[in-house]
Amino acid sequence: MRTSVRFSVTMQIWVDADACPLVIKEILYRAADRARVTLTLVANKLLRTPASPFIRSLQVPRGFDVADNEIARQVQPGDLVITADIPLAAQVIERGGHALDPRGEVYTSDNIRERLTMRDFMDELRASGVDTGGPASFSQGDRHAFAKQLDRFLTRHRGASTR
């Protein structure tokens, strides 16, 4: 008779924390405690986080894309990554994870190629001297959209064994 052992490991939330707005981090802290899910903030500087068995921070060395590379290395299928970095979101999706922008946009396999193409196009414009402006200021609507998408994700994936 063959016996199989099944390990149940729940998803984690990873945060590209260097540029993540404080208000979004605060939403994430509350959500991690409420949902009892591990939240890891990855940054190249020391971060203060609330005392919680579900919240931790990981400091990486300074350098271009060091935090992004660490998240991409550690993310597992089913994990959620909070990032505005489109190439990182693409890597996460490729590895079977989920990606959510701090403004509430869910990156998917259906929309990530379009976002990468637009990002590359804007980079080319800036490199040629065109002033493309920057993103709009972070708004209450962005905060609400993020909280709504995060809640929707956690409700759908709570307790799911995805690894």
Side-chain angles (χ1 to χ4, degrees), residues 57-78:
S57 62
L58 176 62
Q59 185 176 0
V60 296
R62 290 192 181 279
F64 185 71
D65 284 344
V66 176
D68 297 351
N69 293 340
E70 184 64 20
I71 293 169
R73 187 179 72 75
Q74 291 205 36
V75 72
Q76 297 293 314

Side-chain angles (χ1 to χ4, degrees), residues 128-142:
S128 68
V130 174
D131 181 8
T132 59
S137 297
F138 196 79
S139 71
Q140 186 71 18
D142 294 329

Side-chain angles (χ1 to χ4, degrees), residues 3-25:
T3 308
S4 67
V5 177
R6 190 172 173 175
F7 294 95
S8 177
V9 179
T10 56
M11 59 77 82
Q12 294 186 56
I13 300 173
W14 297 89
V15 182
D16 184 3
D18 284 319
C20 185
L22 178 60
V23 67
I24 296 303
K25 291 176 191 169

